[in-house]
Structure formats: C-alpha cells, structure tokens
Amino acid sequence: MGYDPNNPMEGRITDLGPHKYDTMLPPIIKNNKGKWLYHEIPEPGILIHTSSTGDKCYTVRVGSPRLISIEHIREICDIADKYCEGYLRFTTRNNIEFMCDSEDKMRALIDDLKSRGNKFPIGGTGACVTNIVHTQGWVHCHTPATDASGPVKAVMDELFEYFGSMKLPAQVRIALACCLNMCGAVHASDIALLGVHRKPPMIDHERITGVCEIPLAIAACPLGAVKPAKAEVNGEEVKTVKVNAERCMFCGNCYTMCPAMPLADPEGDGIAILVGGKVSNAKSAPKFSKLVIPFLPNNPPRWPEVTDAVKNILETYAKDARKYERVGEWAERIGWEKFFEKCGIPFTEKSIDDYRLAYDTWRTTAQFKYTSATDAYTK
Amino acid sequence: MAKHDTPLLDELEKGPWPSFVTDMKRQAETKPECWDILGQLELSYEDKITHWKHGGIVGVFGYGGGIVGRYSDVPDRFPGVEHFHTVRVNQPSGLYYSTENLRGLMDLWEKYGSGMTNMHGSTGDMVLLGTRTENLEPLFWDLTHDLGQDLGGSGSNLRTPSCCLGESRCQWACYDTQEICHHLTLHYQDEIHRPAFPYKFKFKFSGCPNDCVAAIARSDFAVIGTWKDEIQIDQAMVKEYMAGNIPSNAGAHSGRDWGPFDIQKEVIDLCPTECMWMEGDELKIDNAECTRCMHCINVMPRALAPGKERGATICIGAKAPILDGAQFATMIIPFIEISADNEFENVIDVIEKIWDWWMEVGKNRERVGETMQRVGLPTFLSVMEVDPIPQHVKEPRSNPYVFWKEEEVPGGWERDIVEFRKRHAA
C-alpha cells in the first residue's frame, strides 16, 4: 500500500526526525568516536586522523557544485561502496569526504577520483580557498538579485589553484548570497559576494489587494518608506501602497512580504563585494564582512568583473599578509585605508555606513595612515 | 520535454571546477524535466532576472513547513518546471550517510522529483529541488514509511538543528555535538514541523571555539564547546614542534615556504591575551588569563589540547542583516555542562526560558536577537534569570542613561511638589 488520496490521514506517520547519526558512521569513525588524538594534512585535500586505539582514518576531501544530480550522488555512492565501506559525509561547506581505514585504500581512491575528469577535485584543506557556500539564485529563488551557481562556478574556476593547494596565509572562506536575505549568511566571510538590488519596488496596483496584507507590507519596511495609498484600477479606487524612493535602501523586505512589489531588474541588480569577516574565535573575535565594492554588474554567464575583483583581493592579501592572518585581520593591521590602496579599489561614499549605529564605524581619532587617498591634502 | 539550446550555460561547462550544467545535462538523459530547468535558467541568463514566481503555499497535511512552494512564470515554455517545489529532508547529525540511505533517497527523488538536489541547504537540510504539488503527499508517504525519515523545517518555526562533526572525527570537540543535536531534533519535532514562533529559530552546535558550523554567526541559539580548566600540554611534543619535526597547524601551510617554525612568533606573540611564555625549553601558559581562542591549539595540535573539564558557552541571537543589520550571537551563559546523562535538561531549560518569553513579546517576523536589541540586554538577562557579569559586554556603557527602577532608589519616586516648594522657592 502507498499514499491513498481518498484517505489522506490513514496510516500517516509523522515526526520521525532524521535517522540517528550512529547508523550512518563508517566503522573507522564509529569505533574511534571521542578517541581521536590529533590530525595531519600531509597534502592538500587529505586528512589523517589518529586515534588512541592506534587506528588511523584517511579522509579525502573533494569539491562539489552543491547543486548536484541523483546520477552524481549515485556515482559518489559507487565510490564510497568501493573504498569506504559504504559510507561518506558532506562538510558544512558542501565538500564531500570519503573516509578510508588504510592508506592503500586511500591511494586507490585518489587514483579513481582523478580518473573521473574534473568531477571530484581534491583539496579544500588548510590555508586554501575551500568550496563557496552559496544560495539558489536563478535556479530556484523568487527574490534573487543575481544567480548563485553560475558566479560560484566562474569564481572557483578562476581560483582553482587555491582550492588544491595550501599556499595562502590562512584559510579564505568565500560565500555568495543572491539577495540581502542572505540564506548563505555571507555576513561573516573572508570574501562575500552579495546580490543587491538598486531600483525601488514597482507596485502592481491591480494585484495588490488580492495578494497582500497591506499593513504587513507597510510594516515590512525598516525605513518607513512604504505608505498607504489609493490608486484607480479599471475606474475603481483600490487600496494600495506608495513608496518613497528616496528612503528606499533596496533590502527587498517589502517584496518578501508582498508579491505585488517586485524590485528585481536586469540593470538594477548586481553583486556587491564585502571582505574581512570571520566566524572562528581563533586569535581575534568573530568579525562582520565589510562592503568594499558596492556594485558590479550581472554579466552572465561568467561574471568577469566579479571574478577579477575576487582574484585581485585574494592575491593582494596572499602577497601581503602574514602567516595565520585572516583577510580581516590583515586589513585591520594595515588599516582599511591601506587595504583600498593596496587592492587598487576606489573608495566611495557607498562604503561609509549611514544606516543605524553607523557612528561606530566613523573614525574618531587623529590616527590614520597617509595613502593616495589623502594626496589632495598633502601633495 | 524538448531539449533547449543553452549557449550561455554551455560556457559554464568549461573550466576546472565541476560543472552543474554538465551534471544537469547528464541527468536530463533520464529525467527530461532537467532540460526545462536548463532552459529556464538560460532564459534568466539572457534576461538577467529570475523567472520564478513569488511564493505559493504548499505542504503536506499536518505540517507547516518542510516544503517551499515555487512556480515558473514561463510554464508554457518550460512545462517541466511549472511547479518546482523544494523538499527539505532533515539531515543526519554531522552529515554522514550510508550509501544505502542515500541511494534510497535518490530512488525516491527519481520517482517523484526533478532529479536535482542541493547537498546541502544553508541550514543543513538535504534539499530536493523541484517537484509537483501532486507528488508531495506520495513522496512524504514513501519518505516516512519506506525510508523511515522526515522533513526539516521552514517558516516561523524551529529550523532543522545542525552541528559540526564533533567527537566523531575531531579531537577538539568539547562535547558530543551529534548527540545533543539529534536528541533535541527529536525532542522538538512539533516545534520543527508546526510553526508557532514569531519567526524562525535556529540551533547550531559547534564542538569548540573554531566554530566550524558558524553557530555564532548564524544561529539564534549557539552552543559552542569550551573548557574551564587548563590547556593540556605535552612538553615533549612542544620540543618536537620547535625542532621542526612536526609541521605547524597539522601541515595546513605546507604549500609555501614560511621559514622554520618559530614558537615565539607563531604562537606566543599571536596569543590575544599574551598569556604564554617560554621558561627554558618549556612552554608555560597562565590559564587564568586565557580566553580559549584555540589559536595555540590549532598551531600545535599534537602538543596542546583543550582542558579536561569540558562543556559549552551559550550565545544567543545571531542573524543575517534583514532588517536592522547582521548580529552575532551574544554571550549569555559562560559555561554549561553538556551531558546526555540528564538528557540535556539544563540546556532545554535555557531554550524554553527564551521561547516562553519571545513567543509572548516577539513581534511578527522578529528574530530573538532583534527582540533582545529592542528590550535591551539587561532586560533579556533578567528574563533568562542570569546575573549580569562583565563578561556579558565588551566594555561598560559610555553614556549615563541608566533606567533606574523605582525600588532601587531610597524613598521611591512619589514626592510632593508643595512640600518641595516650602523649602525651595520657585
């Protein structure tokens, strides 16, 4: 028997939750849980964990586009069946990890992975650019200001040598969110790509009363830019809203609440770049990413302006930062004025906070460094 | 469904990183809906705008979340994606899978869905990407009856909890992240499936302050492993690092010649509290000054380890920027023991104190971090029945605008202006 549409509640099972994790662990992991002593990264993409039992777990980490097919997952399963006792895992950054209980199996696994074209690049460990955490974009989302999978593919192609090597000063976490809702939570990434809108919402007066709770649409605006209004539709007066465009900061929250207020636009939308965030507590406290490039156009299929900008920031950092220094720690040590100068990024008023609590970011000291930006005063 | 020309997307088949376009084309051979995903995406690449309509409330009976409705705005051209609903399936804690389970899920998705997935969504669920409304109930039936597993969360509810891999393969985990994540996921099935909150609420469990699951940035309730005694030191291994016999940071920097390991420069001078020094050839740590940032342990994993008295710090209220700006979670409980022996009841007490209050005072679509900002940290601490301590702030306030309470001031606030004027002429 299966689902019966005539008796939908008959035999229904709910609230099972997920499978218990311990039914999903490979033996080498299950036998050594809580007993691990230390780990080594002998080469990029390879982790060796040593247990107090003497066991060693050999992990091979490979990249993944995250948007993957059932055929691709079946292929991953075939590989795990052959070398990993029928188990595998994913990382929080969408990499795939194959775990072996011997070095011989790991070597055979690596040869196999390398024989499968570019499907399973090995890397993503240590002082590298690991996989880009990202969102849905034009593949599935209704509010995006850019695509996700496409720009990520283009950026990873450009930075590929940094995925499979460990030559950066520290790990560099890149993330992409296709609108300000930030399902990808890019607000604490070393380099964040963020889809942004730049045109205020249009108002579909014909549909608004049918699809919106107007008070919720008004309340959705953090700046009070959405006000009640009346409009004439087919000779009849309808209740609707109006938008004070000068107050709009293009967050898109009104559209989230009201489908009659779309704001996406081919010319208006694009990608902003924020840098210097981190999540880890190591050395310095977690930091937010800061807006350094307010807008780059959507230029599919390969977003060249975006890939160039990311590569420039990454390589300037790689050349200049000290060992262990994250992007944000480097920028703070040299000073943000030096960050802009060294990266050759023009500073604009768009990088000066004028939203709430903005004053915290204004410089209230006579201490600063002279850069080309101060030439007008000094030269 | 017909194959579409995709000259723009074809450009994304080039280059060394694995291509989702190539993968989708392979899948289209057996799941022709994938041609319409590619076709509509190509149209978005031409038009530089999404072609998905806003919203659409769909789901399975009895649940208020787990399915995200989605419809194409060009269904005549791309009938295979006319409905393109997402199914969130609750992942196992730590993201480990047996191939048997994954194959079962893939067979299910071949039967009912588009053939495309996200492994994984940002909150942690497996995301099955794209199916029709009429497939939802049969899919849910097979998921629960045949595979014995369940949907995750969406909407104003407890979102699917997630954790780092913890003790399963990391020596730094200060508690069993998988166990508490799984236990609380089962404990709160009703809260996950039936939205009753002002807005979404996320739990994330990281085993140590490296915070690999980004709990402090992404979760309303962040449980971050820590310890309260002394960093464990193996002095013999410290000497091995100093002699250059073991690469620093487990070899994480081996791709560049950074010169010989220098414990002064790489560990002692980078300690944020300057609480380390060498005494002869022994490394000393003033643990009373240590803030447990993990840097020295990260650099010398074979010589140093977190202390033995382990537990977690609880931070509350992180969120992304919409609306009032991004927030990190604020440290509220400096140390709490995390043990399956009491079924995590001390943690559950903390969670339910937050919920009882937030469900009452939180506004529609207000994350708990925003409610905390609105009422102020002192009020929130009193709700949590936590005494204020200096650790709750980076620094004391610099303005003098204290909200004194009447009972704190001798004599109270009731005064008589006539009596006052007898002594103080106007």
Side-chain angles (χ1 to χ4, degrees):
Chain A
M1 113 179 198
Y3 174 69
D4 177 3
N6 297 317
N7 284 303
M9 303 314 280
E10 183 81 22
R12 172 168 293 259
I13 303 176
T14 64
D15 300 295
L16 288 172
H19 282 297
K20 189 156 189 219
Y21 59 89
D22 59 7
T23 64
M24 299 287 159
L25 302 177
I28 183 72
I29 294 295
K30 197 167 189 173
N31 296 339
N32 292 288
K33 186 175 173 182
K35 298 175 187 163
W36 299 107
L37 293 176
Y38 62 89
H39 72 285
E40 302 156 83
I41 314 174
E43 55 192 271
I46 313 297
L47 298 154
I48 304 175
H49 286 83
T50 300
S51 163
S52 60
T53 65
D55 284 352
K56 285 180 186 284
C57 175
Y58 299 83
T59 300
V60 181
R61 182 177 290 173
V62 303
S64 150
R66 186 182 89 118
L67 172 59
I68 53 180
S69 70
I70 55 183
E71 286 308 318
H72 190 75
I73 293 172
R74 283 171 176 156
E75 189 172 345
I76 294 165
C77 289
D78 291 342
I79 296 166
D81 283 344
K82 200 161 169 193
Y83 304 99
C84 311
E85 328 286 324
Y87 298 91
L88 63 124
R89 74 176 293 269
F90 294 82
T91 71
T92 53
R93 301 194 75 85
N94 308 320
N95 294 306
I96 300 157
E97 288 186 339
F98 296 103
M99 290 151 286
C100 303
D101 54 15
S102 79
E103 188 166 359
D104 289 347
K105 282 187 196 165
M106 177 190 78
R107 288 291 155 206
L109 163 67
I110 291 170
D111 290 343
D112 187 328
L113 291 168
K114 286 182 173 166
S115 74
R116 294 169 190 261
N118 70 347
K119 276 187 274 189
F120 301 106
I122 297 170
T125 54
C128 73
V129 171
T130 188
N131 208 344
I132 300 181
V133 167
H134 62 279
T135 55
Q136 301 288 14
W138 295 334
V139 170
H140 184 261
C141 186
H142 63 298
T143 67
T146 187
D147 188 33
S149 306
V152 164
K153 158 75 175 150
V155 171
M156 285 311 288
D157 280 342
E158 197 65 32
L159 303 184
F160 190 69
E161 65 169 300
Y162 298 101
F163 177 80
S165 64
M166 301 190 289
K167 56 187 180 180
L168 295 170
Q171 67 270 42
V172 175
R173 302 285 183 245
I174 306 181
L176 181 146
C178 50
C179 81
L180 273 64
N181 281 321
M182 281 199 197
C183 301
V186 304
H187 57 287
S189 304
D190 292 282
I191 303 177
L193 316 181
L194 176 63
V196 292
H197 304 288
R198 295 185 306 166
K199 293 191 183 184
M202 297 172 284
I203 297 159
D204 187 347
H205 298 302
E206 287 188 22
R207 299 194 68 240
I208 193 161
T209 42
V211 297
C212 286
E213 296 276 357
I214 286 175
L216 289 182
I218 292 166
C221 181
L223 291 175
V226 181
K227 297 283 184 207
K230 293 195 164 65
E232 202 180 283
V233 173
N234 302 327
E236 279 185 36
E237 191 178 84
V238 296
K239 284 185 182 167
T240 181
V241 298
K242 62 182 175 188
V243 174
N244 180 351
E246 279 176 16
R247 300 198 70 172
C248 180
M249 56 155 182
F250 315 100
C251 70
N253 198 48
C254 52
Y255 182 57
T256 297
M257 296 307 288
C258 175
M261 300 180 73
L263 72 167
D265 184 86
E267 273 68 51
D269 297 350
I271 290 179
I273 301 209
L274 297 87
V275 307
K278 71 192 273 280
V279 163
S280 158
N281 283 275
K283 299 196 298 297
S284 57
K287 299 177 198 296
F288 289 127
S289 316
K290 278 89 178 163
L291 184 115
V292 296
I293 301 180
F295 183 81
L296 295 168
N298 275 328
N299 197 353
R302 297 202 72 101
W303 279 265
E305 295 85 352
V306 173
T307 55
D308 286 354
V310 173
K311 192 167 192 184
N312 170 43
I313 293 166
L314 181 79
E315 294 190 338
T316 307
Y317 154 79
K319 232 182 301 168
D320 203 61
R322 295 173 182 165
K323 190 179 178 187
Y324 305 112
E325 216 166 36
R326 297 285 292 265
V327 173
E329 293 169 331
W330 164 66
E332 285 178 12
R333 175 174 59 80
I334 63 173
W336 283 99
E337 62 269 48
K338 282 281 183 190
F339 169 89
F340 281 93
E341 183 172 73
K342 282 178 191 261
C343 293
I345 297 173
F347 185 82
T348 73
E349 85 282 0
K350 306 283 190 298
S351 284
I352 302 177
D353 196 350
D354 50 5
Y355 193 54
R356 292 170 192 162
L357 310 174
Y359 175 80
D360 288 357
T361 64
W362 302 351
R363 190 177 307 231
T364 51
T365 163
Q367 296 182 12
F368 59 87
K369 291 181 181 174
Y370 291 112
T371 67
S372 56
T374 49
D375 284 354
Y377 299 88
T378 59
K379 295 275 162 79
Chain B
M1 275 143 263
K3 198 170 163 177
H4 308 283
D5 285 335
T6 54
L8 292 171
L9 289 175
D10 294 351
E11 290 296 313
L12 292 174
E13 294 199 82
K14 299 170 184 167
W17 188 250
S19 169
F20 68 95
V21 176
T22 306
D23 187 28
M24 226 184 280
K25 285 184 178 176
R26 169 165 80 154
Q27 189 62 56
E29 299 298 332
T30 51
K31 295 290 288 180
E33 303 87 313
C34 288
W35 292 126
D36 279 354
I37 306 176
L38 287 162
Q40 183 174 315
L41 187 59
E42 178 76 12
L43 184 64
S44 281
Y45 273 49
E46 287 168 18
D47 295 347
K48 302 185 190 181
I49 197 164
T50 190
H51 279 287
W52 299 107
K53 287 185 189 178
H54 189 296
I57 295 174
V58 292
V60 297
F61 286 118
Y63 280 16
I67 313 280
V68 181
R70 189 70 71 232
Y71 298 91
S72 170
D73 71 8
V74 278
D76 295 342
R77 289 176 67 180
F78 307 108
V81 295
E82 179 187 18
H83 300 196
F84 201 65
H85 312 318
T86 288
V87 180
R88 292 184 181 166
V89 177
N90 197 150
Q91 81 287 2
S93 292
L95 303 173
Y96 289 88
Y97 293 92
S98 67
T99 55
E100 184 190 356
N101 182 234
L102 268 185
R103 288 180 195 282
L105 284 160
M106 292 309 106
D107 292 346
L108 177 81
W109 196 232
E110 181 160 33
K111 188 171 170 190
Y112 294 114
S114 72
M116 293 308 296
T117 76
N118 289 144
M119 300 297 277
H120 290 79
S122 295
T123 300
D125 297 286
M126 280 175 260
V127 173
L128 305 179
L129 203 62
T131 189
R132 296 188 61 83
T133 306
E134 59 270 24
N135 288 338
L136 294 172
E137 288 292 350
L139 180 151
F140 182 67
W141 178 279
D142 290 6
L143 181 72
T144 49
H145 287 77
D146 300 345
L147 294 172
Q149 58 199 108
D150 204 345
L151 301 179
S154 65
S156 293
N157 57 2
L158 176 61
R159 297 299 184 86
T160 311
S162 72
C163 64
C164 71
L165 54 54
E167 293 177 349
S168 72
R169 207 196 59 201
C170 183
Q171 71 271 22
W172 294 327
C174 294
Y175 65 95
D176 189 344
T177 56
Q178 289 174 295
E179 181 61 30
I180 187 171
C181 184
H182 184 75
H183 183 92
L184 293 185
T185 302
L186 292 190
H187 186 76
Y188 289 123
Q189 283 292 295
D190 194 35
E191 286 76 3
I192 289 171
H193 295 309
R194 295 168 196 91
F197 291 157
Y199 201 15
K200 63 183 95 167
F201 196 96
K202 299 186 182 187
F203 296 165
K204 290 194 191 291
F205 303 94
S206 273
C208 83
N210 284 325
D211 197 359
C212 288
V213 74
I216 203 161
R218 304 183 63 164
S219 58
D220 302 272
F221 190 78
V223 182
I224 299 171
T226 195
W227 61 95
K228 59 180 177 180
D229 55 341
E230 301 184 338
I231 290 176
Q232 302 179 65
I233 309 182
D234 180 339
Q235 296 289 356
M237 295 308 281
V238 172
K239 291 184 185 75
E240 291 292 312
Y241 278 102
M242 291 174 70
N245 295 333
I246 306 172
S248 65
N249 224 320
H253 293 79
S254 61
R256 196 197 293 193
D257 181 8
W258 293 94
F261 178 68
D262 180 342
I263 195 168
Q264 184 67 39
K265 197 171 125 198
E266 299 187 35
V267 179
I268 294 171
D269 290 351
L270 292 181
C271 170
T273 63
E274 302 176 18
C275 72
M276 312 178 85
W277 69 96
M278 294 303 294
E279 220 166 272
D281 57 2
E282 295 227 318
L283 178 67
K284 298 290 179 188
I285 302 175
D286 181 356
N287 279 278
E289 297 301 315
C290 172
T291 52
R292 302 166 310 285
C293 85
M294 289 299 289
H295 174 69
C296 59
I297 298 172
N298 289 340
V299 175
M300 302 195 293
R302 296 181 70 171
L304 302 176
K308 291 178 175 165
E309 294 173 33
R310 299 177 175 191
T313 297
I314 293 180
C315 302
I316 300 173
K319 55 177 281 292
I322 297 283
L323 286 168
D324 279 345
Q327 289 177 225
F328 283 118
T330 300
M331 200 288 289
I332 300 295
I333 309 229
F335 187 88
I336 190 166
E337 305 221 346
I338 308 277
S339 167
D341 296 343
N342 65 0
E343 300 189 315
F344 310 106
E345 77 177 333
N346 53 340
V347 180
I348 287 172
D349 281 350
V350 180
I351 292 166
E352 297 191 354
K353 254 182 213 153
I354 303 170
W355 286 352
D356 286 347
W357 169 78
W358 178 56
M359 287 171 74
E360 193 159 318
V361 309
K363 296 179 179 174
N364 181 38
R365 282 182 31 97
E366 185 177 63
R367 294 283 287 268
V368 74
E370 293 167 310
T371 318
M372 287 163 65
Q373 274 226 39
R374 180 162 58 78
V375 304
L377 186 55
T379 302
F380 183 70
L381 290 174
S382 84
V383 166
M384 296 304 293
E385 299 175 84
V386 169
D387 287 333
I389 53 176
Q391 285 81 352
H392 287 133
V393 293
K394 286 179 193 146
E395 58 187 28
R397 75 196 303 156
S398 49
N399 66 64
Y401 306 134
V402 174
F403 291 101
W404 292 103
K405 295 188 187 76
E406 184 171 14
E407 62 270 24
E408 291 173 320
V409 186
W413 290 346
E414 286 301 317
R415 289 181 290 162
D416 185 343
I417 189 67
V418 177
E419 287 299 311
F420 181 80
R421 284 289 167 236
K422 284 180 188 165
R423 294 189 301 278
H424 303 280

